[in-house]
Each structure stands twice: as structure tokens, then as C-alpha cells.
Amino acid sequence: MKKSNYSSQSLKDKIVIVTGGNSGIGLYTVLDALHDGAYVVMASRSMQKAEEAKQFLATKTSVERLTILSLDVSSLSSVQTFVQTFLKTFQHVDILVNNAGIMFGDYHRTEDGFERQMATNHFGHFALTASLFPMMAKDARIIQVSSIAHKRAEMDLNQLAYEDGKGYTPWGAYSRSKLANLWFAFALADRLKAHNHTIKSLVVHPGVSKTNLFFKEKGKQPLYNLLKILMPLQSAEKGALPTLRAMHDVDARNGDFFGPEGLAEFGGKAVRVQASRLAQNRLLADQFFTLSETLTKTEFIF
Ligand SMILES: NC(=O)c1ccc[n+]([C@@H]2O[C@H](COP(=O)([O-])OP(=O)(O)OC[C@H]3O[C@@H](n4cnc5c(N)ncnc54)[C@H](OP(=O)(O)O)[C@@H]3O)[C@@H](O)[C@H]2O)c1
């Protein structure tokens, strides 16, 4: 895979966790890390899909250093079970890629009371990161996988689960969850800096890539057919390039945001990109971080 527009660090012997590593962008992230000699934990909600993914990976590289662990990131209890299981084998984390995600779907609240897209795309990853934080290596990287969809997001911090019963749309909820990824990454970067940590909080978006993401809730969305036409734009492998840059770029800075350089940031080489004005609002990011600690009952110990 091309990573040639920056100086690349080796991942040899690093411990890398990729959530949703059995499919799409996560799968190519796992492949890259294995290929580079890392110990990789594929965190997957389906053991069957993870085993199928392992078979695919085995046709490309050695899978000796691959560990499959069960994680349903939409469930806080599953997150805690995952962390306990992880710690039976591993003592620290070098790179955490919070990649798992869902898009669209009808309104649904999870067992923890969160709206489903926000639970999967943000709250589970927030709790996972907080729980693993004490085990992060000094030069660890924590990577959120956001989306250009964040640019159209609106967020009412008092209605995170649409408690008033108004305003839920599949697109709106997805966009909001991807804004959450940026707020989390930026607020974490600020806190890491304030506490003189050398850990980096990074965030990426993959542009638009042909993955299963678009095909799970098919038929329900008016834009579905249009997206199907757009799909040939970029492969999942190319969509992984910003994540790969966040893992490898020796010059990556705490708080960096990487995405594709092409037209409308739909595809291309990974470069530094700009978040929306709302995403760059550090006051709201800070409030959202604190609220996420409260709602997930987890705390970052810096
Ligand atoms: N593809 C794009 O164009 C695009 C654009 C912008 C952002 N993104 C972001 O990229 C990330 C990866 O998506 P993708 O495009 O590679 O889609 P994908 O092929 O559908 O992969 C998503 C992964 O997340 C997993 N996942 C979903 N819900 C989960 C849960 N509750 N617990 C654990 N794992 C769960 C999926 O598991 P299953 O295989 O079991 O479903 C799958 O492994 C997402 O965060 C997405 O928002 C993608």
C-alpha cells in the first residue's frame, strides 16, 4: 500500500488494536499492521466474520501475530469484557484504531440507553479508550475514524438520544456521531498536551470507499442508489490510507486530522485536512468529552 508522501515508522513488534478489523477499511488496516510485523488484535462483533477475514489475510501475509477478540462496541459491558480479555495476553497498547462503525438504520436505543449510531461510533470507543488509557505506551497513538459527513452535522448536547422524540434521521444521526469522533479526538489531544503526555490523539476520514458500510441498511435511504453509483470511486484499501498515515507518519502531530487529498476529499493520498468550524469548536469539544465521561461512567486518568 502506498504511504510514500511521508516518512514512515515501522510497526514491528508494536501492539495494535483495530475495532471492526474484519471488514472494509479496518481489514486493510489490520493487513498493513500485520505486514509490518505488529501484533494485531482484531476486535470484532462476529467471530465467524473474523475467522473469514483471517483466511483472507492469510492469503496476503503471515497471520501468526493476529489475535481475534470479541467486541460489540455498542455495548459498554462488552467493552469492559474485551478490555479484561485483552489484558490476559497483552500488557500495553501502542496503537488503538477506533474504526468500527455503522451508518443509517432506524431509530434504536441500545441497552445503555444511547442512540445506536452514537453508541457504536462514539460512546463505545470513548469507554474503550478510557479503559485502555492506563496501558497506553508513552508514544502511543489513539486514532478515531471520522467522516466528511461530520461537515453537515448538528448536535444538541441535551438530546444525544433524541430524548424528546424529535428530529431523528439516519443521516443526521450518522453525521453527528462522526462529529463526535472529531470532538473526542481534539478534546483528548488538548488534555494530553495539558498533561505533558507524549501520546498522540489523531483523527482521520477515509473519503468515500466501497465497503459494506453502505450496504447494510439498504433500500431504506433515499440516497442509497446514488451512493451505489458513487461506490466505484475508491476501494476499501485506498480508504485505509489516512488511517495508515496516522499509524505510520513519523511527523504526525497530536491533534492531526488526515483525509484524502482528491476532489471534495473523496479519495486520494492522505494529507492533513480541515475539520468543519463546529468540529473545531474546542469549548464544545471539551463539554462533549466531559459529558461522554459522565454518560459512559468512565474516566480518563491522566
Ligand atoms: N466507507 C466509507 O466510505 C466511509 C466514509 C467515511 C467514514 N467511514 C468510516 O470508516 C469506518 C469503517 O467503516 P467501513 O467503511 O470499513 O465499513 P464496514 O466494511 O462496514 O466495516 C465496519 C466495521 O465495523 C464493525 N462494527 C459495526 N458495528 C459494530 C459493533 N457494534 N461492534 C463491533 N464492531 C462493529 C463491522 O462489523 P460487521 O462486519 O460485523 O458488520 C465492520 O467490521 C467507520 O467508522 C465508518 O464510519 C467509512
Side-chain angles (χ1 to χ4, degrees):
M1 284 181 238
K2 268 195 184 166
K3 313 189 275 264
S4 55
N5 57 328
Y6 53 89
S7 305
S8 186
Q9 69 162 354
S10 165
L11 303 188
K12 187 160 173 45
D13 297 334
K14 290 197 183 289
I15 298 170
V16 178
I17 301 174
V18 184
T19 69
N22 63 279
S23 174
I25 290 154
L27 181 61
Y28 282 95
T29 305
V30 169
L31 175 59
D32 174 86
L34 283 176
H35 195 65
D36 220 23
Y39 294 94
V40 183
V41 176
M42 179 196 285
S44 180
R45 65 176 164 174
S46 158
M47 291 303 98
Q48 192 191 325
K49 285 186 191 172
E51 287 299 338
E52 286 165 13
K54 185 177 179 179
Q55 282 173 25
F56 164 79
L57 291 164
T59 66
K60 308 269 177 196
T61 194
S62 166
V63 289
E64 265 178 36
R65 291 186 167 197
L66 178 68
T67 302
I68 294 169
L69 291 184
S70 175
L71 171 66
D72 176 353
V73 77
S74 72
S75 154
L76 294 180
S77 72
S78 175
V79 168
Q80 290 321 315
T81 305
F82 170 85
V83 172
Q84 284 158 19
T85 313
F86 172 82
L87 290 175
K88 284 182 186 156
T89 309
F90 300 95
Q91 277 75 50
H92 74 274
V93 184
D94 292 295
I95 299 179
L96 170 61
V97 186
N98 287 330
N99 163 84
I102 53 168
M103 185 169 75
F104 304 154
D106 295 332
Y107 179 74
H108 181 80
R109 278 171 89 158
T110 64
E111 64 194 21
D112 302 301
F114 303 134
E115 181 280 314
R116 184 174 59 161
Q117 294 197 66
M118 188 63 92
T120 309
N121 299 351
H122 169 64
F123 282 124
H125 286 127
F126 185 91
L128 177 67
T129 311
S131 303
L132 290 172
F133 192 73
M135 274 70 76
M136 293 282 169
K138 276 202 167 67
D139 61 348
R141 295 179 179 210
I142 301 166
I143 302 166
Q144 313 302 326
V145 181
S146 180
S147 165
I148 35 178
H150 86 272
K151 293 188 181 184
R152 43 190 306 286
E154 293 170 6
M155 182 105 80
D156 179 349
L157 295 185
N158 297 312
Q159 297 293 333
L160 283 179
Y162 300 89
E163 286 85 349
D164 62 4
K166 293 180 196 153
Y168 178 85
T169 64
W171 266 108
Y174 179 70
S175 306
R176 228 176 44 141
S177 72
K178 293 290 136 180
L179 171 62
N181 297 151
L182 281 149
W183 274 350
F184 175 28
F186 292 154
L188 180 59
D190 289 347
R191 282 164 169 75
L192 290 168
K193 189 175 170 208
H195 290 86
N196 294 317
H197 276 290
T198 44
I199 298 169
K200 292 184 177 77
S201 169
L202 305 166
V203 56
V204 303
H205 84 77
V208 183
S209 309
K210 186 178 180 175
T211 68
N212 289 333
L213 191 74
F214 293 90
F215 300 97
K216 283 180 194 147
E217 303 286 343
K218 62 184 169 185
K220 293 186 180 167
Q221 311 310 323
L223 287 177
Y224 175 73
N225 289 330
L226 177 64
L227 288 168
K228 260 173 85 175
I229 294 164
L230 290 174
M231 282 297 91
L233 279 178
Q234 190 176 239
S235 64
E237 187 174 9
K238 292 234 170 78
L241 290 177
T243 307
L244 268 46
R245 179 158 184 180
M247 291 201 298
H248 287 276
D249 186 349
V250 291
D251 298 317
R253 301 180 298 246
N254 183 34
D256 267 348
F257 181 26
F258 296 114
E261 67 170 357
L263 185 68
E265 297 176 16
F266 269 32
K269 274 190 302 195
V271 295
R272 286 191 176 81
V273 290
Q274 274 241 319
S276 69
R277 272 185 68 175
L278 183 58
Q280 291 183 54
N281 186 322
R282 290 302 225 249
L283 194 63
L284 286 173
D286 179 65
Q287 282 175 21
F288 183 65
F289 188 102
T290 305
L291 188 58
S292 296
E293 283 190 311
T294 307
L295 294 176
T296 60
K297 301 184 183 69
T298 50
E299 196 186 347
F300 276 80
I301 313 286
F302 292 100

